[in-house]
Amino acid sequence: MQMTNRSLTRTTPEQLGIAAKQVIAFLDDVGKHKSELHSFMLLRHGQVAAEGWWAPYAPELPHMLFSLSKSFTSTAIGMAVHEGIITLDDAVVSFFPDDLPGDVPEHLGAMQIRHLLMMGTGHDEDTMDALIAAEDGHWVRAFLELPVPHEPGTHFLYNTGATYMLSAILQKASGQSLMDYLTPRLFKPLGIENPTWDTCPRGINTGGYGLNITTEDIAKLGQLYLQRGLWNGVRIMDEEWVHEATRKQISNGDGGDSDWAQGYGYQFWRCRHGIYRGDGAFGQFCIVMPEQDAVIAITSGTGDMQAIMNSVWGHLLPGFLPEPIAEDESSVALGECLAKLHLEVPKLGSKSMLEAQVSGTRYEIEQDRTEEAPFPLKNLCIKFDKDRARLDFKLESEDSITLGREHWLTESTVTIEGKDTRTAGSFTWKSQDELILTLQAIETPFCITLELHFVDAAVTIHSSYNVGWDKVVTVHGKAVN
């Protein structure tokens, strides 16, 4: 495989035996289905054949992985097994003797590391909500106190709390956090720079979610697995672990057309067509295609992940050919298509006489429904200029976002849930008294739309998310200056 230590090498699709017209067809199809992709990278034979980012997303920006983080946690567990730090047969309770309930139930006592990995813990529902709700922040103890109605290994249930327990076990057994453990063993060898990973209140990496890295970093993990643990000729992972982690360990359905019913490995999903993947909520994908010697990395903000995979199987899969092919008119068209990828901003073209009147006016938001809102504003003030505006507002603290007039501006970083988040913004007038603000958090899947309706000295605000929040919340504000 040809690559530098820091980045994958680039070439043309045709040199790698990929038909450019099929890549165009894939991009057209995800657009037709309104699948909001943020990035896409296609590798074959260890090289990048095609890549694109939907502006304002960009190659250098990390992206929230959600449950795609689980595949990285699995990788760490495989390394720890190979080093002899743990075994898959180790009982979960053996690592936490001081946190166990008074009488350890039979099924809890029988739960092993392998059951955490395969999502076969025996629980009836995902434990994560109970962990987060633990008043003392002791997620391990909260997990161990939950009922385990099924014999471990017999019942598949997708369980993010189980992956957190893998992180907690690794930290207990190795004396290092999951992040610290993976840094010299995975991140540095693969050139994955500046990863971040959320932690629980007690400082343990969340494991099942919370990792933030770039699209190329996602592709590198897939390439490492495709190469059965080798990187630049050096063995990073045990080859047997790659085989075990990515094969079917437990049944999760009856197959058919669903890529969530083909079997589950160790924090990897089996797919149709002999393919496997790691994935995360709202369309974060690391798809590994052994028969095609290919990897696909995708980040998104979609509510229909199956539609994206259907587009991959329907258009990219037939595009892999056994030998290099000649370039044709599709080759130029693909380059142009990838260069023009962008997320549309609302462009309603209206102008408003109210703009000068409301500019600089601060509105205090009534607090009766603020906590229900996905974007819980306490106050806001918009100041308009010729081709831009500045939204000053308060959520947790005073913040501001620069907005382009019917185009994206990417100059802002705001604090959301305690994290600095780079945010692109745009605005347009829907009518004389209706203003639409679009706020795209470009290191996440999330886009917030605020529709403001001005009446005299008051404003009504309808707030909504693109994904993750299925209702519109309406609040009201009054001018205070």
Side-chain angles (χ1 to χ4, degrees):
M1 184 181 79
Q2 302 174 36
M3 64 173 65
T4 67
N5 189 45
R6 293 299 175 197
S7 63
L8 303 165
T9 56
R10 271 71 177 168
T11 187
T12 65
E14 293 79 10
Q15 288 178 322
L16 299 173
I18 298 173
K21 66 178 182 181
Q22 296 299 127
V23 183
I24 295 173
F26 164 76
L27 296 172
D28 288 344
D29 198 48
V30 295
K32 181 180 72 175
H33 286 95
K34 300 188 183 302
S35 300
E36 187 188 302
L37 266 63
H38 297 156
S39 70
F40 160 73
M41 185 174 285
L42 171 62
L43 280 64
R44 196 178 195 196
H45 309 323
Q47 299 181 72
V48 179
E51 60 187 323
W53 283 260
W54 279 254
Y57 289 83
E60 68 277 8
L61 295 177
H63 201 283
M64 293 174 70
L65 298 195
F66 293 90
S67 285
L68 179 49
S69 308
K70 291 178 169 70
S71 299
F72 288 81
T73 302
S74 171
T75 301
I77 294 298
M79 292 173 169
V81 168
H82 184 65
E83 292 175 9
I85 296 172
I86 56 176
T87 76
L88 296 190
D89 297 327
D90 288 342
V92 172
V93 297
S94 69
F95 295 94
F96 310 104
D98 298 331
D99 301 317
L100 300 175
D103 294 316
V104 176
E106 180 183 359
H107 289 166
L108 177 62
M111 191 188 303
Q112 300 173 349
I113 289 177
R114 70 173 70 252
H115 300 135
L116 299 174
L117 284 162
M118 70 170 66
M119 298 297 187
T121 58
H123 292 96
D124 259 343
E125 58 185 36
D126 190 342
T127 59
M128 201 63 232
D129 286 347
L131 272 57
I132 293 172
E135 292 184 0
D136 61 357
H138 201 316
W139 290 10
V140 167
R141 183 176 296 161
F143 181 93
L144 297 171
E145 289 174 348
L146 293 170
V148 185
H150 304 279
E151 179 185 351
T154 65
H155 176 77
F156 173 83
L157 176 83
Y158 196 69
N159 186 351
T160 297
T163 317
Y164 168 77
M165 291 300 289
L166 292 171
S167 175
I169 286 171
L170 180 68
Q171 183 161 322
K172 193 84 168 182
S174 70
Q176 294 179 289
S177 70
L178 177 59
M179 267 285 289
D180 289 342
Y181 184 84
L182 279 177
T183 294
R185 294 168 174 84
L186 180 72
F187 297 141
K188 284 188 176 178
L190 270 58
I192 296 175
E193 299 180 342
N194 304 314
T196 61
W197 208 320
D198 295 350
T199 62
C200 76
R202 294 188 171 231
I204 299 169
N205 290 122
T206 47
Y209 64 94
L211 179 60
N212 303 268
I213 56 175
T214 67
T215 308
E216 184 160 347
D217 296 335
I218 296 170
K220 288 175 179 178
L221 181 76
Q223 190 63 36
L224 175 65
Y225 272 81
L226 184 63
Q227 295 169 177
R228 301 180 181 86
L230 288 175
W231 192 261
N232 285 337
V234 177
R235 180 151 298 284
I236 302 297
M237 294 175 57
D238 179 57
E239 183 172 2
E240 181 61 21
W241 177 263
V242 174
H243 173 71
E244 289 297 305
T246 60
R247 75 175 180 89
K248 179 179 177 180
Q249 294 286 347
I250 191 170
S251 177
N252 61 353
D254 299 324
D257 293 334
S258 170
D259 285 293
W260 277 266
Q262 309 298 319
Y264 195 78
Y266 290 155
Q267 313 283 291
F268 284 90
W269 297 89
R270 294 296 308 178
C271 307
R272 292 172 286 169
H273 312 293
I275 292 165
Y276 63 88
R277 74 185 189 280
D279 75 26
F282 313 123
Q284 325 316 315
F285 290 103
C286 179
I287 300 171
V288 182
M289 313 171 83
E291 294 179 16
Q292 292 76 25
D293 193 28
V295 171
I296 298 171
I298 291 172
T299 62
S300 315
T302 182
D304 189 353
M305 293 170 63
Q306 185 65 69
I308 293 177
M309 284 187 283
N310 289 344
S311 296
V312 171
W313 312 151
H315 298 286
L316 293 179
L317 197 56
F320 294 106
L321 304 171
E323 301 291 339
I325 57 176
E327 295 187 15
D328 57 21
E329 64 276 5
S330 296
S331 307
V332 176
L334 174 59
E336 294 174 348
C337 181
L338 291 168
K340 294 178 181 178
L341 293 174
H342 66 282
L343 298 183
E344 296 287 351
V345 298
K347 295 182 179 180
L348 302 177
S350 297
K351 297 187 182 296
S352 172
M353 299 295 291
L354 275 180
E355 189 168 298
Q357 179 180 331
V358 301
S359 184
T361 300
R362 180 166 294 275
Y363 296 88
E364 291 289 341
I365 309 302
E366 297 175 4
Q367 296 300 301
D368 58 333
R369 299 196 66 198
T370 299
E371 296 308 315
E372 298 179 31
F375 196 67
L377 285 165
K378 294 179 172 59
N379 60 55
L380 64 81
C381 174
I382 308 171
K383 299 174 183 176
F384 295 95
D385 201 345
K386 182 178 180 181
D387 63 348
R388 60 173 56 203
R390 191 180 78 190
L391 171 66
D392 295 323
F393 62 94
K394 184 176 182 180
L395 294 175
E396 303 158 23
S397 58
E398 299 290 343
D399 236 321
S400 65
I401 296 176
T402 305
L403 312 163
R405 189 184 296 273
E406 299 191 339
H407 65 275
W408 293 115
L409 287 179
T410 58
E411 303 169 0
S412 306
T413 300
V414 303
T415 303
I416 301 175
E417 295 184 357
K419 297 180 182 178
D420 289 340
T421 303
R422 277 176 274 203
T423 304
S426 73
F427 74 95
T428 188
W429 285 94
K430 183 177 180 179
S431 66
Q432 283 292 307
D433 56 7
E434 292 176 288
L435 176 67
I436 297 178
L437 312 180
T438 306
L439 316 177
Q440 190 86 33
I442 55 177
E443 296 178 50
T444 83
F446 301 118
C447 180
I448 304 161
T449 299
L450 303 176
E451 296 191 22
L452 283 66
H453 183 199
F454 298 97
V455 178
D456 298 327
V459 64
T460 297
I461 304 171
H462 306 291
S463 60
S464 61
Y465 266 42
N466 57 335
V467 290
W469 191 277
D470 60 2
K471 61 181 179 180
V472 176
V473 174
T474 301
V475 295
H476 304 278
K478 293 183 178 179
V480 293
N481 62 340

